[in-house]
Amino acid sequence: MESIFEKLWRLSPAAFVLKGIIAALVANGLLLAFIFLRRTYRKQYFARRDARVYELRQRWDALISGDIPYEAWRRNPFDRRIVEGIALDAFEAAGPEQSARLLKFLRTSGLIEKRIFEARHLKGWRRMRSLVALGRTRAPEGIPALAEGLRDRDLETRLAALRGLGRMACPQAAEEILAWLGENGLTVPDLPLQGALVQCCAERPQLLLPYIKIAETHLREVLGRVLGEVATPSLGLDLLQFVGDDLDELRAAAARAMSQTHSAFAPEVLSELAADPVWFVRLRAIVSLGKLSDCRAIPTLLRGLTDSNRLVRWRAAEALVALKTELVPIFEKVVAARDRYGLHAYLTALENAGMRAQLEVELQANSRPIEDVKKRLQNVLETGTLPAEEPATAANLPSGVVELR
């Protein structure tokens, strides 16, 4: 007698459907079994790891001091990964003394040499992981291996090497990055490169100057932004070569960097850049003038209040308010410019700085303006609107008084 399965097998279209259902059930069963086994294994793994981390933590001081022989844990890959992870995590919050102690431990235990070897000889994600770990150690001997990682064909590996060099934060790492850029050009995104160079060039910003001169257009922009971040008074006259550069970003970087030099010619140079046709160059120049807090910049800042760009007007107003000088003469000139946008920016900057009451007191106590002019200034301060223009006559303008138009 035929079984039910033999009868179903003879049904040609239905047989294929039945086979598909059976295959799907078997596949789902295997998938569920795999998920269950994987979760069980991971649960046991993490429980075992947690117990081992706790055990090693209890003996951590003895472990990094060498009282516990390195052979007791180094030959065990499971323990070695745990010890290295704890040491690298400790670097993030360690002070100078603790960092030196951890670095000595990583050197004497051979973990740094192991990572250097892996960073040079492994491929793919294993090499990337080694580069990340090597960068976290901040060990100078890892710089050559990280520099080799910059020349890897994989973008993620290059980024790992670049971030590792950025963590070194030393001129030697900057030299390797700049040499690589000179060879291959810009082959990574802008922001990681800027971040790494800012950290590495902070001690010696002069390293950037030769490469800015020979770099291609987009790379020059990136290096120019870095220069604006790390410029120091030691650059001095070297920044002047970028004031008249054809590249907008370099002129903006020069304007930003001039505020760090505190040289005698900085206000004059920044006043020239404040008249640049590109708005963000003018903005950087105005911000730098505000940082200098030099009274010679007042005419330029007053012109900035009438700028066509809102951000430039806002920064010029903040810089004027921040100047350590009398407020009334500045306020007179702001009103005399007869630019309502500039007036609003200046009054807002006064409010934000909490200096509106100070201006009112100085205006009441100041005897220099004639009474009519003082009333008009008080009215402008109260209403925030410019007065109507009045024709100038010899009778109503005493000598030495500027007509407010």
Side-chain angles (χ1 to χ4, degrees), residues 208-228:
L208 294 166
L209 298 178
Y211 293 92
I212 291 178
K213 295 178 182 178
I214 63 174
E216 60 181 8
T217 303
H218 185 58
L219 181 55
R220 289 186 78 213
E221 292 181 1
V222 175
L223 296 180
R225 289 195 286 268
V226 175
L227 181 64

PDB file of all heavy atoms in Angstrom, residues 208-228:
ATOM      1  N   LEU A 208      54.390  73.522   7.992  1.00  0.00           N
ATOM      2  CA  LEU A 208      53.361  73.612   6.956  1.00  0.00           C
ATOM      3  C   LEU A 208      53.766  74.503   5.792  1.00  0.00           C
ATOM      4  O   LEU A 208      53.306  74.298   4.665  1.00  0.00           O
ATOM      5  CB  LEU A 208      52.062  74.143   7.572  1.00  0.00           C
ATOM      6  CG  LEU A 208      51.360  73.251   8.587  1.00  0.00           C
ATOM      7  CD1 LEU A 208      50.318  74.049   9.345  1.00  0.00           C
ATOM      8  CD2 LEU A 208      50.721  72.061   7.904  1.00  0.00           C
ATOM      9  N   LEU A 209      54.600  75.504   6.030  1.00  0.00           N
ATOM     10  CA  LEU A 209      54.849  76.545   5.034  1.00  0.00           C
ATOM     11  C   LEU A 209      55.391  76.012   3.710  1.00  0.00           C
ATOM     12  O   LEU A 209      54.880  76.374   2.639  1.00  0.00           O
ATOM     13  CB  LEU A 209      55.786  77.603   5.617  1.00  0.00           C
ATOM     14  CG  LEU A 209      55.240  78.355   6.847  1.00  0.00           C
ATOM     15  CD1 LEU A 209      56.268  79.334   7.380  1.00  0.00           C
ATOM     16  CD2 LEU A 209      53.946  79.066   6.505  1.00  0.00           C
ATOM     17  N   PRO A 210      56.428  75.144   3.690  1.00  0.00           N
ATOM     18  CA  PRO A 210      56.924  74.672   2.386  1.00  0.00           C
ATOM     19  C   PRO A 210      55.886  73.885   1.606  1.00  0.00           C
ATOM     20  O   PRO A 210      55.836  73.965   0.371  1.00  0.00           O
ATOM     21  CB  PRO A 210      58.125  73.785   2.769  1.00  0.00           C
ATOM     22  CG  PRO A 210      58.483  74.164   4.154  1.00  0.00           C
ATOM     23  CD  PRO A 210      57.215  74.601   4.805  1.00  0.00           C
ATOM     24  N   TYR A 211      55.034  73.136   2.295  1.00  0.00           N
ATOM     25  CA  TYR A 211      54.056  72.308   1.599  1.00  0.00           C
ATOM     26  C   TYR A 211      52.889  73.139   1.077  1.00  0.00           C
ATOM     27  O   TYR A 211      52.285  72.791   0.059  1.00  0.00           O
ATOM     28  CB  TYR A 211      53.551  71.205   2.532  1.00  0.00           C
ATOM     29  CG  TYR A 211      54.620  70.199   2.876  1.00  0.00           C
ATOM     30  CD1 TYR A 211      55.415  70.357   4.010  1.00  0.00           C
ATOM     31  CD2 TYR A 211      54.863  69.099   2.058  1.00  0.00           C
ATOM     32  CE1 TYR A 211      56.412  69.442   4.319  1.00  0.00           C
ATOM     33  CE2 TYR A 211      55.862  68.186   2.360  1.00  0.00           C
ATOM     34  CZ  TYR A 211      56.633  68.363   3.497  1.00  0.00           C
ATOM     35  OH  TYR A 211      57.627  67.461   3.797  1.00  0.00           O
ATOM     36  N   ILE A 212      52.557  74.226   1.774  1.00  0.00           N
ATOM     37  CA  ILE A 212      51.489  75.101   1.282  1.00  0.00           C
ATOM     38  C   ILE A 212      51.886  75.728  -0.053  1.00  0.00           C
ATOM     39  O   ILE A 212      51.050  75.911  -0.942  1.00  0.00           O
ATOM     40  CB  ILE A 212      51.176  76.188   2.332  1.00  0.00           C
ATOM     41  CG1 ILE A 212      50.526  75.564   3.566  1.00  0.00           C
ATOM     42  CG2 ILE A 212      50.260  77.252   1.763  1.00  0.00           C
ATOM     43  CD1 ILE A 212      50.231  76.540   4.676  1.00  0.00           C
ATOM     44  N   LYS A 213      53.148  76.027  -0.217  1.00  0.00           N
ATOM     45  CA  LYS A 213      53.603  76.680  -1.447  1.00  0.00           C
ATOM     46  C   LYS A 213      53.486  75.773  -2.663  1.00  0.00           C
ATOM     47  O   LYS A 213      53.210  76.234  -3.771  1.00  0.00           O
ATOM     48  CB  LYS A 213      55.059  77.134  -1.279  1.00  0.00           C
ATOM     49  CG  LYS A 213      55.252  78.209  -0.223  1.00  0.00           C
ATOM     50  CD  LYS A 213      56.730  78.556  -0.079  1.00  0.00           C
ATOM     51  CE  LYS A 213      56.959  79.585   1.010  1.00  0.00           C
ATOM     52  NZ  LYS A 213      58.388  79.901   1.209  1.00  0.00           N
ATOM     53  N   ILE A 214      53.700  74.467  -2.482  1.00  0.00           N
ATOM     54  CA  ILE A 214      53.769  73.563  -3.637  1.00  0.00           C
ATOM     55  C   ILE A 214      52.527  72.694  -3.797  1.00  0.00           C
ATOM     56  O   ILE A 214      52.394  72.001  -4.803  1.00  0.00           O
ATOM     57  CB  ILE A 214      55.007  72.649  -3.522  1.00  0.00           C
ATOM     58  CG1 ILE A 214      54.910  71.753  -2.286  1.00  0.00           C
ATOM     59  CG2 ILE A 214      56.278  73.473  -3.475  1.00  0.00           C
ATOM     60  CD1 ILE A 214      56.013  70.725  -2.171  1.00  0.00           C
ATOM     61  N   ALA A 215      51.611  72.721  -2.845  1.00  0.00           N
ATOM     62  CA  ALA A 215      50.450  71.830  -2.890  1.00  0.00           C
ATOM     63  C   ALA A 215      49.464  72.275  -3.961  1.00  0.00           C
ATOM     64  O   ALA A 215      49.427  73.443  -4.368  1.00  0.00           O
ATOM     65  CB  ALA A 215      49.767  71.781  -1.524  1.00  0.00           C
ATOM     66  N   GLU A 216      48.634  71.323  -4.404  1.00  0.00           N
ATOM     67  CA  GLU A 216      47.585  71.661  -5.354  1.00  0.00           C
ATOM     68  C   GLU A 216      46.483  72.450  -4.652  1.00  0.00           C
ATOM     69  O   GLU A 216      46.468  72.559  -3.418  1.00  0.00           O
ATOM     70  CB  GLU A 216      47.007  70.381  -5.964  1.00  0.00           C
ATOM     71  CG  GLU A 216      46.414  69.441  -4.946  1.00  0.00           C
ATOM     72  CD  GLU A 216      45.882  68.173  -5.565  1.00  0.00           C
ATOM     73  OE1 GLU A 216      46.121  67.965  -6.772  1.00  0.00           O
ATOM     74  OE2 GLU A 216      45.227  67.397  -4.845  1.00  0.00           O
ATOM     75  N   THR A 217      45.534  72.962  -5.429  1.00  0.00           N
ATOM     76  CA  THR A 217      44.580  73.955  -4.916  1.00  0.00           C
ATOM     77  C   THR A 217      43.809  73.475  -3.696  1.00  0.00           C
ATOM     78  O   THR A 217      43.805  74.132  -2.645  1.00  0.00           O
ATOM     79  CB  THR A 217      43.587  74.342  -6.023  1.00  0.00           C
ATOM     80  OG1 THR A 217      44.317  74.836  -7.145  1.00  0.00           O
ATOM     81  CG2 THR A 217      42.642  75.434  -5.528  1.00  0.00           C
ATOM     82  N   HIS A 218      43.158  72.313  -3.796  1.00  0.00           N
ATOM     83  CA  HIS A 218      42.313  71.873  -2.676  1.00  0.00           C
ATOM     84  C   HIS A 218      43.150  71.534  -1.447  1.00  0.00           C
ATOM     85  O   HIS A 218      42.768  71.853  -0.315  1.00  0.00           O
ATOM     86  CB  HIS A 218      41.487  70.660  -3.082  1.00  0.00           C
ATOM     87  CG  HIS A 218      40.516  70.211  -2.038  1.00  0.00           C
ATOM     88  ND1 HIS A 218      39.537  71.042  -1.526  1.00  0.00           N
ATOM     89  CD2 HIS A 218      40.383  69.037  -1.362  1.00  0.00           C
ATOM     90  CE1 HIS A 218      38.838  70.399  -0.610  1.00  0.00           C
ATOM     91  NE2 HIS A 218      39.337  69.181  -0.487  1.00  0.00           N
ATOM     92  N   LEU A 219      44.292  70.918  -1.655  1.00  0.00           N
ATOM     93  CA  LEU A 219      45.162  70.595  -0.518  1.00  0.00           C
ATOM     94  C   LEU A 219      45.701  71.875   0.116  1.00  0.00           C
ATOM     95  O   LEU A 219      45.869  71.937   1.344  1.00  0.00           O
ATOM     96  CB  LEU A 219      46.311  69.704  -0.977  1.00  0.00           C
ATOM     97  CG  LEU A 219      47.293  69.250   0.103  1.00  0.00           C
ATOM     98  CD1 LEU A 219      46.567  68.549   1.236  1.00  0.00           C
ATOM     99  CD2 LEU A 219      48.365  68.345  -0.487  1.00  0.00           C
ATOM    100  N   ARG A 220      45.957  72.906  -0.687  1.00  0.00           N
ATOM    101  CA  ARG A 220      46.397  74.184  -0.125  1.00  0.00           C
ATOM    102  C   ARG A 220      45.330  74.778   0.790  1.00  0.00           C
ATOM    103  O   ARG A 220      45.641  75.371   1.823  1.00  0.00           O
ATOM    104  CB  ARG A 220      46.724  75.186  -1.238  1.00  0.00           C
ATOM    105  CG  ARG A 220      47.986  74.879  -2.020  1.00  0.00           C
ATOM    106  CD  ARG A 220      48.290  75.985  -2.983  1.00  0.00           C
ATOM    107  NE  ARG A 220      48.878  77.121  -2.303  1.00  0.00           N
ATOM    108  CZ  ARG A 220      48.711  78.386  -2.651  1.00  0.00           C
ATOM    109  NH1 ARG A 220      47.904  78.693  -3.659  1.00  0.00           N
ATOM    110  NH2 ARG A 220      49.297  79.360  -2.003  1.00  0.00           N
ATOM    111  N   GLU A 221      44.073  74.618   0.392  1.00  0.00           N
ATOM    112  CA  GLU A 221      42.989  75.113   1.248  1.00  0.00           C
ATOM    113  C   GLU A 221      42.993  74.398   2.598  1.00  0.00           C
ATOM    114  O   GLU A 221      42.865  75.037   3.651  1.00  0.00           O
ATOM    115  CB  GLU A 221      41.642  74.901   0.558  1.00  0.00           C
ATOM    116  CG  GLU A 221      41.432  75.757  -0.676  1.00  0.00           C
ATOM    117  CD  GLU A 221      40.079  75.514  -1.309  1.00  0.00           C
ATOM    118  OE1 GLU A 221      39.317  74.691  -0.765  1.00  0.00           O
ATOM    119  OE2 GLU A 221      39.785  76.134  -2.345  1.00  0.00           O
ATOM    120  N   VAL A 222      43.147  73.085   2.573  1.00  0.00           N
ATOM    121  CA  VAL A 222      43.146  72.310   3.817  1.00  0.00           C
ATOM    122  C   VAL A 222      44.328  72.715   4.694  1.00  0.00           C
ATOM    123  O   VAL A 222      44.178  72.962   5.896  1.00  0.00           O
ATOM    124  CB  VAL A 222      43.200  70.802   3.505  1.00  0.00           C
ATOM    125  CG1 VAL A 222      43.334  69.994   4.786  1.00  0.00           C
ATOM    126  CG2 VAL A 222      41.956  70.370   2.740  1.00  0.00           C
ATOM    127  N   LEU A 223      45.514  72.810   4.086  1.00  0.00           N
ATOM    128  CA  LEU A 223      46.699  73.193   4.856  1.00  0.00           C
ATOM    129  C   LEU A 223      46.586  74.627   5.362  1.00  0.00           C
ATOM    130  O   LEU A 223      47.074  74.954   6.447  1.00  0.00           O
ATOM    131  CB  LEU A 223      47.951  73.029   3.994  1.00  0.00           C
ATOM    132  CG  LEU A 223      48.280  71.597   3.553  1.00  0.00           C
ATOM    133  CD1 LEU A 223      49.541  71.581   2.695  1.00  0.00           C
ATOM    134  CD2 LEU A 223      48.461  70.690   4.765  1.00  0.00           C
ATOM    135  N   GLY A 224      45.931  75.476   4.585  1.00  0.00           N
ATOM    136  CA  GLY A 224      45.719  76.848   5.033  1.00  0.00           C
ATOM    137  C   GLY A 224      44.832  76.923   6.255  1.00  0.00           C
ATOM    138  O   GLY A 224      45.089  77.706   7.178  1.00  0.00           O
ATOM    139  N   ARG A 225      43.773  76.098   6.285  1.00  0.00           N
ATOM    140  CA  ARG A 225      42.911  76.075   7.469  1.00  0.00           C
ATOM    141  C   ARG A 225      43.671  75.570   8.689  1.00  0.00           C
ATOM    142  O   ARG A 225      43.472  76.062   9.802  1.00  0.00           O
ATOM    143  CB  ARG A 225      41.681  75.209   7.189  1.00  0.00           C
ATOM    144  CG  ARG A 225      40.701  75.824   6.206  1.00  0.00           C
ATOM    145  CD  ARG A 225      39.367  75.109   6.243  1.00  0.00           C
ATOM    146  NE  ARG A 225      39.425  73.812   5.609  1.00  0.00           N
ATOM    147  CZ  ARG A 225      39.156  73.581   4.331  1.00  0.00           C
ATOM    148  NH1 ARG A 225      38.829  74.592   3.536  1.00  0.00           N
ATOM    149  NH2 ARG A 225      39.202  72.356   3.838  1.00  0.00           N
ATOM    150  N   VAL A 226      44.534  74.580   8.479  1.00  0.00           N
ATOM    151  CA  VAL A 226      45.351  74.084   9.595  1.00  0.00           C
ATOM    152  C   VAL A 226      46.285  75.180  10.092  1.00  0.00           C
ATOM    153  O   VAL A 226      46.456  75.381  11.298  1.00  0.00           O
ATOM    154  CB  VAL A 226      46.151  72.843   9.161  1.00  0.00           C
ATOM    155  CG1 VAL A 226      47.098  72.395  10.275  1.00  0.00           C
ATOM    156  CG2 VAL A 226      45.213  71.709   8.784  1.00  0.00           C
ATOM    157  N   LEU A 227      46.889  75.913   9.155  1.00  0.00           N
ATOM    158  CA  LEU A 227      47.800  76.999   9.539  1.00  0.00           C
ATOM    159  C   LEU A 227      47.078  78.049  10.371  1.00  0.00           C
ATOM    160  O   LEU A 227      47.632  78.583  11.346  1.00  0.00           O
ATOM    161  CB  LEU A 227      48.404  77.635   8.288  1.00  0.00           C
ATOM    162  CG  LEU A 227      49.402  78.778   8.518  1.00  0.00           C
ATOM    163  CD1 LEU A 227      50.641  78.266   9.241  1.00  0.00           C
ATOM    164  CD2 LEU A 227      49.790  79.438   7.202  1.00  0.00           C
ATOM    165  N   GLY A 228      45.837  78.355  10.002  1.00  0.00           N
ATOM    166  CA  GLY A 228      45.078  79.316  10.782  1.00  0.00           C
ATOM    167  C   GLY A 228      44.817  78.854  12.200  1.00  0.00           C
ATOM    168  O   GLY A 228      44.708  79.667  13.116  1.00  0.00           O
TER     169      GLY A 228
END
